[in-house]
PDB file of all heavy atoms in Angstrom:
ATOM      1  N   VAL A 168      -0.805   7.181  -6.470  1.00 85.00           N
ATOM      2  CA  VAL A 168      -1.657   8.068  -7.300  1.00 85.00           C
ATOM      3  C   VAL A 168      -2.856   8.584  -6.487  1.00 85.00           C
ATOM      4  O   VAL A 168      -3.608   9.413  -7.014  1.00 85.00           O
ATOM      5  CB  VAL A 168      -2.145   7.323  -8.548  1.00 85.00           C
ATOM      6  CG1 VAL A 168      -0.972   6.801  -9.357  1.00 85.00           C
ATOM      7  CG2 VAL A 168      -3.093   6.181  -8.215  1.00 85.00           C
ATOM      8  N   LEU A 169      -3.028   8.132  -5.278  1.00 87.00           N
ATOM      9  CA  LEU A 169      -4.170   8.545  -4.461  1.00 87.00           C
ATOM     10  C   LEU A 169      -3.906   9.884  -3.792  1.00 87.00           C
ATOM     11  O   LEU A 169      -2.756  10.323  -3.669  1.00 87.00           O
ATOM     12  CB  LEU A 169      -4.452   7.503  -3.382  1.00 87.00           C
ATOM     13  CG  LEU A 169      -4.760   6.066  -3.865  1.00 87.00           C
ATOM     14  CD1 LEU A 169      -4.926   5.128  -2.674  1.00 87.00           C
ATOM     15  CD2 LEU A 169      -5.986   6.038  -4.742  1.00 87.00           C
ATOM     16  N   LYS A 170      -4.956  10.505  -3.384  1.00 89.00           N
ATOM     17  CA  LYS A 170      -4.841  11.772  -2.641  1.00 89.00           C
ATOM     18  C   LYS A 170      -4.170  11.479  -1.301  1.00 89.00           C
ATOM     19  O   LYS A 170      -4.293  10.373  -0.757  1.00 89.00           O
ATOM     20  CB  LYS A 170      -6.214  12.409  -2.417  1.00 89.00           C
ATOM     21  CG  LYS A 170      -6.916  12.816  -3.715  1.00 89.00           C
ATOM     22  CD  LYS A 170      -8.270  13.427  -3.409  1.00 89.00           C
ATOM     23  CE  LYS A 170      -8.982  13.847  -4.689  1.00 89.00           C
ATOM     24  NZ  LYS A 170     -10.340  14.425  -4.418  1.00 89.00           N
ATOM     25  N   PRO A 171      -3.456  12.461  -0.730  1.00 89.00           N
ATOM     26  CA  PRO A 171      -2.731  12.224   0.503  1.00 89.00           C
ATOM     27  C   PRO A 171      -3.595  11.667   1.641  1.00 89.00           C
ATOM     28  O   PRO A 171      -3.193  10.748   2.361  1.00 89.00           O
ATOM     29  CB  PRO A 171      -2.196  13.614   0.862  1.00 89.00           C
ATOM     30  CG  PRO A 171      -2.060  14.298  -0.453  1.00 89.00           C
ATOM     31  CD  PRO A 171      -3.180  13.800  -1.296  1.00 89.00           C
ATOM     32  N   THR A 172      -4.822  12.206   1.793  1.00 91.00           N
ATOM     33  CA  THR A 172      -5.684  11.738   2.857  1.00 91.00           C
ATOM     34  C   THR A 172      -6.093  10.276   2.647  1.00 91.00           C
ATOM     35  O   THR A 172      -6.057   9.436   3.575  1.00 91.00           O
ATOM     36  CB  THR A 172      -6.931  12.597   2.972  1.00 91.00           C
ATOM     37  OG1 THR A 172      -6.568  13.949   3.195  1.00 91.00           O
ATOM     38  CG2 THR A 172      -7.818  12.142   4.138  1.00 91.00           C
ATOM     39  N   THR A 173      -6.471   9.977   1.408  1.00 91.00           N
ATOM     40  CA  THR A 173      -6.831   8.602   1.088  1.00 91.00           C
ATOM     41  C   THR A 173      -5.665   7.654   1.229  1.00 91.00           C
ATOM     42  O   THR A 173      -5.798   6.537   1.696  1.00 91.00           O
ATOM     43  CB  THR A 173      -7.388   8.515  -0.372  1.00 91.00           C
ATOM     44  OG1 THR A 173      -8.449   9.480  -0.513  1.00 91.00           O
ATOM     45  CG2 THR A 173      -7.923   7.132  -0.685  1.00 91.00           C
ATOM     46  N   ARG A 174      -4.477   8.134   0.836  1.00 91.00           N
ATOM     47  CA  ARG A 174      -3.267   7.307   0.933  1.00 91.00           C
ATOM     48  C   ARG A 174      -2.967   6.949   2.397  1.00 91.00           C
ATOM     49  O   ARG A 174      -2.577   5.842   2.700  1.00 91.00           O
ATOM     50  CB  ARG A 174      -2.091   8.038   0.302  1.00 91.00           C
ATOM     51  CG  ARG A 174      -0.838   7.170   0.133  1.00 91.00           C
ATOM     52  CD  ARG A 174       0.319   8.012  -0.378  1.00 91.00           C
ATOM     53  NE  ARG A 174      -0.079   8.827  -1.484  1.00 91.00           N
ATOM     54  CZ  ARG A 174       0.284  10.086  -1.685  1.00 91.00           C
ATOM     55  NH1 ARG A 174       1.063  10.700  -0.794  1.00 91.00           N
ATOM     56  NH2 ARG A 174      -0.114  10.738  -2.751  1.00 91.00           N
ATOM     57  N   GLU A 175      -3.193   7.910   3.315  1.00 91.00           N
ATOM     58  CA  GLU A 175      -2.943   7.630   4.714  1.00 91.00           C
ATOM     59  C   GLU A 175      -3.906   6.595   5.235  1.00 91.00           C
ATOM     60  O   GLU A 175      -3.528   5.726   6.069  1.00 91.00           O
ATOM     61  CB  GLU A 175      -3.078   8.923   5.514  1.00 91.00           C
ATOM     62  CG  GLU A 175      -1.965   9.940   5.239  1.00 91.00           C
ATOM     63  CD  GLU A 175      -2.164  11.227   6.012  1.00 91.00           C
ATOM     64  OE1 GLU A 175      -3.135  11.305   6.802  1.00 91.00           O
ATOM     65  OE2 GLU A 175      -1.343  12.175   5.853  1.00 91.00           O
ATOM     66  N   ILE A 176      -5.167   6.643   4.810  1.00 91.00           N
ATOM     67  CA  ILE A 176      -6.163   5.666   5.257  1.00 91.00           C
ATOM     68  C   ILE A 176      -5.806   4.269   4.748  1.00 91.00           C
ATOM     69  O   ILE A 176      -5.834   3.286   5.494  1.00 91.00           O
ATOM     70  CB  ILE A 176      -7.574   6.071   4.775  1.00 91.00           C
ATOM     71  CG1 ILE A 176      -7.971   7.394   5.415  1.00 91.00           C
ATOM     72  CG2 ILE A 176      -8.572   4.965   5.093  1.00 91.00           C
ATOM     73  CD1 ILE A 176      -9.292   7.947   4.895  1.00 91.00           C
ATOM     74  N   ILE A 177      -5.446   4.193   3.473  1.00 93.00           N
ATOM     75  CA  ILE A 177      -5.073   2.907   2.874  1.00 93.00           C
ATOM     76  C   ILE A 177      -3.826   2.336   3.548  1.00 93.00           C
ATOM     77  O   ILE A 177      -3.683   1.109   3.719  1.00 93.00           O
ATOM     78  CB  ILE A 177      -4.861   3.031   1.379  1.00 93.00           C
ATOM     79  CG1 ILE A 177      -6.126   3.513   0.671  1.00 93.00           C
ATOM     80  CG2 ILE A 177      -4.394   1.726   0.759  1.00 93.00           C
ATOM     81  CD1 ILE A 177      -7.288   2.568   0.772  1.00 93.00           C
ATOM     82  N   SER A 178      -2.928   3.210   3.952  1.00 92.00           N
ATOM     83  CA  SER A 178      -1.676   2.776   4.588  1.00 92.00           C
ATOM     84  C   SER A 178      -1.914   2.127   5.949  1.00 92.00           C
ATOM     85  O   SER A 178      -1.055   1.373   6.426  1.00 92.00           O
ATOM     86  CB  SER A 178      -0.711   3.937   4.742  1.00 92.00           C
ATOM     87  OG  SER A 178      -0.351   4.468   3.478  1.00 92.00           O
ATOM     88  N   LEU A 179      -3.054   2.413   6.566  1.00 92.00           N
ATOM     89  CA  LEU A 179      -3.374   1.820   7.875  1.00 92.00           C
ATOM     90  C   LEU A 179      -3.745   0.356   7.741  1.00 92.00           C
ATOM     91  O   LEU A 179      -3.716  -0.378   8.731  1.00 92.00           O
ATOM     92  CB  LEU A 179      -4.517   2.593   8.526  1.00 92.00           C
ATOM     93  CG  LEU A 179      -4.242   4.043   8.915  1.00 92.00           C
ATOM     94  CD1 LEU A 179      -5.498   4.704   9.468  1.00 92.00           C
ATOM     95  CD2 LEU A 179      -3.097   4.144   9.918  1.00 92.00           C
ATOM     96  N   ASN A 180      -4.092  -0.056   6.542  1.00 95.00           N
ATOM     97  CA  ASN A 180      -4.421  -1.464   6.281  1.00 95.00           C
ATOM     98  C   ASN A 180      -3.147  -2.302   6.347  1.00 95.00           C
ATOM     99  O   ASN A 180      -2.217  -2.049   5.566  1.00 95.00           O
ATOM    100  CB  ASN A 180      -5.103  -1.584   4.909  1.00 95.00           C
ATOM    101  CG  ASN A 180      -5.491  -3.010   4.572  1.00 95.00           C
ATOM    102  OD1 ASN A 180      -5.280  -3.933   5.336  1.00 95.00           O
ATOM    103  ND2 ASN A 180      -6.024  -3.176   3.392  1.00 95.00           N
ATOM    104  N   PRO A 181      -3.055  -3.286   7.221  1.00 95.00           N
ATOM    105  CA  PRO A 181      -1.822  -4.076   7.287  1.00 95.00           C
ATOM    106  C   PRO A 181      -1.490  -4.800   5.987  1.00 95.00           C
ATOM    107  O   PRO A 181      -0.312  -5.032   5.681  1.00 95.00           O
ATOM    108  CB  PRO A 181      -2.088  -5.077   8.416  1.00 95.00           C
ATOM    109  CG  PRO A 181      -3.592  -5.113   8.562  1.00 95.00           C
ATOM    110  CD  PRO A 181      -4.034  -3.739   8.211  1.00 95.00           C
ATOM    111  N   LEU A 182      -2.507  -5.120   5.212  1.00 96.00           N
ATOM    112  CA  LEU A 182      -2.275  -5.814   3.950  1.00 96.00           C
ATOM    113  C   LEU A 182      -1.515  -4.910   2.960  1.00 96.00           C
ATOM    114  O   LEU A 182      -0.830  -5.399   2.060  1.00 96.00           O
ATOM    115  CB  LEU A 182      -3.567  -6.270   3.324  1.00 96.00           C
ATOM    116  CG  LEU A 182      -4.323  -7.392   4.073  1.00 96.00           C
ATOM    117  CD1 LEU A 182      -5.632  -7.702   3.373  1.00 96.00           C
ATOM    118  CD2 LEU A 182      -3.467  -8.646   4.196  1.00 96.00           C
ATOM    119  N   THR A 183      -1.646  -3.610   3.120  1.00 95.00           N
ATOM    120  CA  THR A 183      -0.942  -2.674   2.273  1.00 95.00           C
ATOM    121  C   THR A 183       0.567  -2.877   2.378  1.00 95.00           C
ATOM    122  O   THR A 183       1.283  -2.831   1.357  1.00 95.00           O
ATOM    123  CB  THR A 183      -1.307  -1.235   2.651  1.00 95.00           C
ATOM    124  OG1 THR A 183      -2.697  -1.033   2.417  1.00 95.00           O
ATOM    125  CG2 THR A 183      -0.516  -0.227   1.777  1.00 95.00           C
ATOM    126  N   GLN A 184       1.049  -3.110   3.594  1.00 94.00           N
ATOM    127  CA  GLN A 184       2.476  -3.289   3.779  1.00 94.00           C
ATOM    128  C   GLN A 184       2.974  -4.552   3.091  1.00 94.00           C
ATOM    129  O   GLN A 184       4.045  -4.588   2.459  1.00 94.00           O
ATOM    130  CB  GLN A 184       2.814  -3.363   5.274  1.00 94.00           C
ATOM    131  CG  GLN A 184       2.199  -2.241   6.087  1.00 94.00           C
ATOM    132  CD  GLN A 184       2.617  -0.860   5.615  1.00 94.00           C
ATOM    133  OE1 GLN A 184       3.749  -0.669   5.142  1.00 94.00           O
ATOM    134  NE2 GLN A 184       1.729   0.105   5.734  1.00 94.00           N
ATOM    135  N   PHE A 185       2.179  -5.636   3.197  1.00 97.00           N
ATOM    136  CA  PHE A 185       2.561  -6.886   2.545  1.00 97.00           C
ATOM    137  C   PHE A 185       2.499  -6.783   1.017  1.00 97.00           C
ATOM    138  O   PHE A 185       3.361  -7.325   0.325  1.00 97.00           O
ATOM    139  CB  PHE A 185       1.690  -8.025   3.057  1.00 97.00           C
ATOM    140  CG  PHE A 185       1.953  -8.423   4.457  1.00 97.00           C
ATOM    141  CD1 PHE A 185       1.138  -7.961   5.477  1.00 97.00           C
ATOM    142  CD2 PHE A 185       3.042  -9.233   4.795  1.00 97.00           C
ATOM    143  CE1 PHE A 185       1.378  -8.315   6.791  1.00 97.00           C
ATOM    144  CE2 PHE A 185       3.296  -9.581   6.104  1.00 97.00           C
ATOM    145  CZ  PHE A 185       2.471  -9.136   7.115  1.00 97.00           C
ATOM    146  N   MET A 186       1.484  -6.092   0.495  1.00 96.00           N
ATOM    147  CA  MET A 186       1.431  -5.882  -0.963  1.00 96.00           C
ATOM    148  C   MET A 186       2.618  -5.097  -1.446  1.00 96.00           C
ATOM    149  O   MET A 186       3.116  -5.311  -2.552  1.00 96.00           O
ATOM    150  CB  MET A 186       0.110  -5.194  -1.336  1.00 96.00           C
ATOM    151  CG  MET A 186      -1.110  -6.038  -1.131  1.00 96.00           C
ATOM    152  SD  MET A 186      -1.055  -7.610  -2.072  1.00 96.00           S
ATOM    153  CE  MET A 186      -2.321  -8.547  -1.205  1.00 96.00           C
ATOM    154  N   ASP A 187       3.065  -4.128  -0.617  1.00 95.00           N
ATOM    155  CA  ASP A 187       4.258  -3.374  -0.996  1.00 95.00           C
ATOM    156  C   ASP A 187       5.474  -4.286  -1.099  1.00 95.00           C
ATOM    157  O   ASP A 187       6.316  -4.132  -2.013  1.00 95.00           O
ATOM    158  CB  ASP A 187       4.520  -2.268   0.042  1.00 95.00           C
ATOM    159  CG  ASP A 187       3.542  -1.103  -0.091  1.00 95.00           C
ATOM    160  OD1 ASP A 187       2.964  -0.977  -1.156  1.00 95.00           O
ATOM    161  OD2 ASP A 187       3.361  -0.374   0.903  1.00 95.00           O
ATOM    162  N   LEU A 188       5.582  -5.255  -0.168  1.00 96.00           N
ATOM    163  CA  LEU A 188       6.690  -6.222  -0.215  1.00 96.00           C
ATOM    164  C   LEU A 188       6.633  -7.039  -1.508  1.00 96.00           C
ATOM    165  O   LEU A 188       7.642  -7.186  -2.212  1.00 96.00           O
ATOM    166  CB  LEU A 188       6.641  -7.128   0.997  1.00 96.00           C
ATOM    167  CG  LEU A 188       6.709  -6.520   2.401  1.00 96.00           C
ATOM    168  CD1 LEU A 188       6.851  -7.637   3.431  1.00 96.00           C
ATOM    169  CD2 LEU A 188       7.859  -5.560   2.516  1.00 96.00           C
ATOM    170  N   PHE A 189       5.471  -7.572  -1.827  1.00 96.00           N
ATOM    171  CA  PHE A 189       5.314  -8.455  -2.979  1.00 96.00           C
ATOM    172  C   PHE A 189       5.483  -7.695  -4.298  1.00 96.00           C
ATOM    173  O   PHE A 189       6.127  -8.188  -5.216  1.00 96.00           O
ATOM    174  CB  PHE A 189       3.967  -9.166  -2.943  1.00 96.00           C
ATOM    175  CG  PHE A 189       3.788 -10.056  -1.757  1.00 96.00           C
ATOM    176  CD1 PHE A 189       2.612 -10.054  -1.015  1.00 96.00           C
ATOM    177  CD2 PHE A 189       4.800 -10.912  -1.341  1.00 96.00           C
ATOM    178  CE1 PHE A 189       2.427 -10.873   0.080  1.00 96.00           C
ATOM    179  CE2 PHE A 189       4.661 -11.743  -0.234  1.00 96.00           C
ATOM    180  CZ  PHE A 189       3.466 -11.710   0.471  1.00 96.00           C
ATOM    181  N   HIS A 190       4.926  -6.497  -4.337  1.00 95.00           N
ATOM    182  CA  HIS A 190       5.047  -5.694  -5.592  1.00 95.00           C
ATOM    183  C   HIS A 190       6.501  -5.227  -5.814  1.00 95.00           C
ATOM    184  O   HIS A 190       6.968  -5.161  -6.923  1.00 95.00           O
ATOM    185  CB  HIS A 190       4.101  -4.495  -5.546  1.00 95.00           C
ATOM    186  CG  HIS A 190       2.694  -4.867  -5.863  1.00 95.00           C
ATOM    187  ND1 HIS A 190       1.611  -4.329  -5.192  1.00 95.00           N
ATOM    188  CD2 HIS A 190       2.168  -5.688  -6.818  1.00 95.00           C
ATOM    189  CE1 HIS A 190       0.484  -4.821  -5.702  1.00 95.00           C
ATOM    190  NE2 HIS A 190       0.816  -5.650  -6.677  1.00 95.00           N
ATOM    191  N   ALA A 191       7.193  -4.921  -4.711  1.00 95.00           N
ATOM    192  CA  ALA A 191       8.581  -4.503  -4.848  1.00 95.00           C
ATOM    193  C   ALA A 191       9.443  -5.630  -5.382  1.00 95.00           C
ATOM    194  O   ALA A 191      10.229  -5.445  -6.314  1.00 95.00           O
ATOM    195  CB  ALA A 191       9.117  -4.000  -3.494  1.00 95.00           C
ATOM    196  N   LEU A 192       9.260  -6.821  -4.810  1.00 95.00           N
ATOM    197  CA  LEU A 192      10.099  -7.973  -5.211  1.00 95.00           C
ATOM    198  C   LEU A 192       9.710  -8.532  -6.566  1.00 95.00           C
ATOM    199  O   LEU A 192      10.591  -8.822  -7.402  1.00 95.00           O
ATOM    200  CB  LEU A 192       9.993  -9.081  -4.150  1.00 95.00           C
ATOM    201  CG  LEU A 192      10.596  -8.770  -2.780  1.00 95.00           C
ATOM    202  CD1 LEU A 192      10.256  -9.848  -1.789  1.00 95.00           C
ATOM    203  CD2 LEU A 192      12.111  -8.631  -2.899  1.00 95.00           C
ATOM    204  N   LEU A 193       8.422  -8.697  -6.811  1.00 95.00           N
ATOM    205  CA  LEU A 193       7.970  -9.419  -8.001  1.00 95.00           C
ATOM    206  C   LEU A 193       7.624  -8.498  -9.183  1.00 95.00           C
ATOM    207  O   LEU A 193       7.682  -8.952 -10.332  1.00 95.00           O
ATOM    208  CB  LEU A 193       6.711 -10.253  -7.664  1.00 95.00           C
ATOM    209  CG  LEU A 193       6.906 -11.292  -6.554  1.00 95.00           C
ATOM    210  CD1 LEU A 193       5.584 -11.998  -6.283  1.00 95.00           C
ATOM    211  CD2 LEU A 193       7.961 -12.318  -6.961  1.00 95.00           C
ATOM    212  N   TYR A 194       7.298  -7.267  -8.902  1.00 94.00           N
ATOM    213  CA  TYR A 194       6.878  -6.351  -9.984  1.00 94.00           C
ATOM    214  C   TYR A 194       7.964  -5.308 -10.305  1.00 94.00           C
ATOM    215  O   TYR A 194       8.402  -5.205 -11.446  1.00 94.00           O
ATOM    216  CB  TYR A 194       5.581  -5.647  -9.605  1.00 94.00           C
ATOM    217  CG  TYR A 194       5.143  -4.603 -10.606  1.00 94.00           C
ATOM    218  CD1 TYR A 194       4.563  -4.982 -11.819  1.00 94.00           C
ATOM    219  CD2 TYR A 194       5.292  -3.245 -10.353  1.00 94.00           C
ATOM    220  CE1 TYR A 194       4.161  -4.034 -12.744  1.00 94.00           C
ATOM    221  CE2 TYR A 194       4.915  -2.284 -11.248  1.00 94.00           C
ATOM    222  CZ  TYR A 194       4.347  -2.697 -12.461  1.00 94.00           C
ATOM    223  OH  TYR A 194       3.971  -1.724 -13.389  1.00 94.00           O
TER     224      TYR A 194
END
């Protein structure tokens, strides 16, 4: 739901990748 520029910045955070794993599996 974030703007493309903000989404790219957030994606640089390594924790974002792990949260994607946990949310995909558990949510």
Side-chain angles (χ1 to χ4, degrees):
V168 303
L169 302 176
K170 296 180 180 179
T172 303
T173 306
R174 191 185 311 139
E175 291 178 3
I176 296 175
I177 300 296
S178 298
L179 295 176
N180 180 1
L182 293 178
T183 298
Q184 311 302 327
F185 289 99
M186 291 302 163
D187 286 339
L188 302 187
F189 298 135
H190 281 139
L192 292 172
L193 301 176
Y194 175 76

